Amino acid sequence: MAKAVNAVVKLTELINWNEYYHTVLATQRVPVYRDNLVSVTPTFNEEINNKISLWQGDITKLEVDAVVTAANNGLLGGGGVDGAIHKAAGPELLEECKTLNGCETGDAKITQGYKLPAKHVIHTVGPKGEKPDLLKAAYENCLKLCVENNLKTVAFPCISTGVYGYPQEEAAIVAIKTIRSFLEENPHLIDMIVFTVFLDNDKLFYEKYLQFFFPPK
Ligand code: AR6
């Protein structure tokens, strides 16, 4: 039977990065050509690899503690992933956003999830164009909010890579590298981080760089 279009996607339906590598990528592993990514090559860490997932789809469908949205400084709605999240969450989300007094670039704020399957929405504002420090700060501040609010599962979209024009490949590197550092420093604070990709080429970039920053066995 075909799945309903509005079906909620539970985390139990997703596979973690270890499984993804050994099944989906089994016959089509992508070599990483760039050797200037970090001074030290990351090592295999099974616990950390089990805490991340690469998933292609509509983030509004995910049943997680928090979904991250890529908003603008006003936090009053927009297009892209933010438009989709506001549409799916319903008008109460905008009402709560009006009380937040906007958000600085690189910072993040939290609200309820309303009609979304996700309990909360974390609103972050990524940089316009390639500004790695601000993009890194956006990911870090979202994770900080997760920790402060005891949220254990979170899904990120590819922040800044749509309307804000951050080059997709460079943004994937920053996102993955930042999450690897966070999980290494805080191995027990988060249970699952979902890298949610919407576009096919983002999926390829994430497959490529996850292999480098989260090397499987
Ligand atoms: N689920 C997952 N990812 C999505 C979805 C979705 N439903 N829809 C789009 N994406 P963008 P930005 C991907 O433009 O570049 C807004 O108007 C999309 O393919 O949403 O940070 C805000 O109000 C891309 O990979 O965010 C701001 O003004 C990624 O989400 C501005 O856009 C981010 O693209 C923010 O621009």
Side-chain angles (χ1 to χ4, degrees):
M1 197 173 78
K3 268 194 170 179
V5 176
N6 287 326
V8 168
V9 178
K10 294 178 186 295
L11 273 187
T12 48
E13 294 171 45
L14 269 53
I15 54 172
N16 69 38
W17 169 238
N18 272 325
E19 294 166 304
Y20 190 102
Y21 179 80
H22 290 293
T23 55
V24 181
L25 290 189
T27 55
Q28 40 151 13
R29 286 172 196 157
V30 197
V32 178
Y33 299 107
R34 302 172 56 137
D35 54 8
N36 59 343
L37 294 168
V38 277
S39 51
V40 181
T41 305
T43 53
F44 170 68
N45 182 324
E46 188 165 14
E47 190 188 2
I48 286 183
N49 285 4
N50 285 335
K51 284 179 185 261
I52 59 161
S53 180
L54 173 60
W55 182 74
Q56 184 173 24
D58 178 358
I59 204 167
T60 66
K61 304 288 189 262
L62 282 175
E63 191 181 73
V64 279
D65 290 341
V67 286
V68 172
T69 184
N72 57 36
N73 297 112
L75 293 189
L76 299 178
V81 68
D82 198 48
I85 284 181
H86 274 269
K87 190 170 172 214
E92 284 170 300
L93 179 60
L94 181 59
E95 290 309 308
E96 187 175 355
C97 283
K98 285 179 186 166
T99 68
L100 298 177
N101 292 319
C103 183
E104 299 286 325
T105 303
D107 207 350
K109 300 222 170 153
I110 188 166
T111 64
Q112 299 300 311
Y114 300 101
K115 291 184 181 148
L116 290 170
K119 291 190 200 113
H120 296 272
V121 178
I122 294 177
H123 308 252
T124 192
V125 184
K128 292 179 182 153
E130 191 176 349
K131 293 175 188 133
D133 290 347
L134 282 172
L135 188 62
K136 180 170 179 264
Y139 280 91
E140 285 175 341
N141 283 318
C142 291
L143 291 165
K144 194 168 162 231
L145 281 177
C146 289
V147 173
E148 285 169 5
N149 291 278
N150 200 27
L151 307 177
K152 299 290 188 188
T153 60
V154 58
F156 282 94
C158 305
I159 300 165
S160 280
T161 62
V163 175
Y164 279 1
Y166 204 117
Q168 287 164 267
E169 184 165 9
E170 307 306 324
I173 294 170
V174 172
I176 295 169
K177 202 164 145 180
T178 305
I179 302 282
R180 169 85 201 199
S181 301
F182 174 85
L183 286 173
E184 241 169 64
E185 285 160 26
N186 311 280
H188 305 300
L189 294 180
I190 299 273
D191 293 339
M192 179 56 79
I193 296 177
V194 184
F195 292 102
T196 310
V197 292
F198 205 55
L199 307 175
D200 290 343
N201 57 351
D202 273 324
K203 185 167 72 129
L204 292 177
F205 291 137
Y206 275 77
E207 286 176 346
K208 183 170 163 184
Y209 293 107
L210 283 172
Q211 287 180 66
F212 182 80
F213 287 105
F214 293 83
K217 207 167 196 173

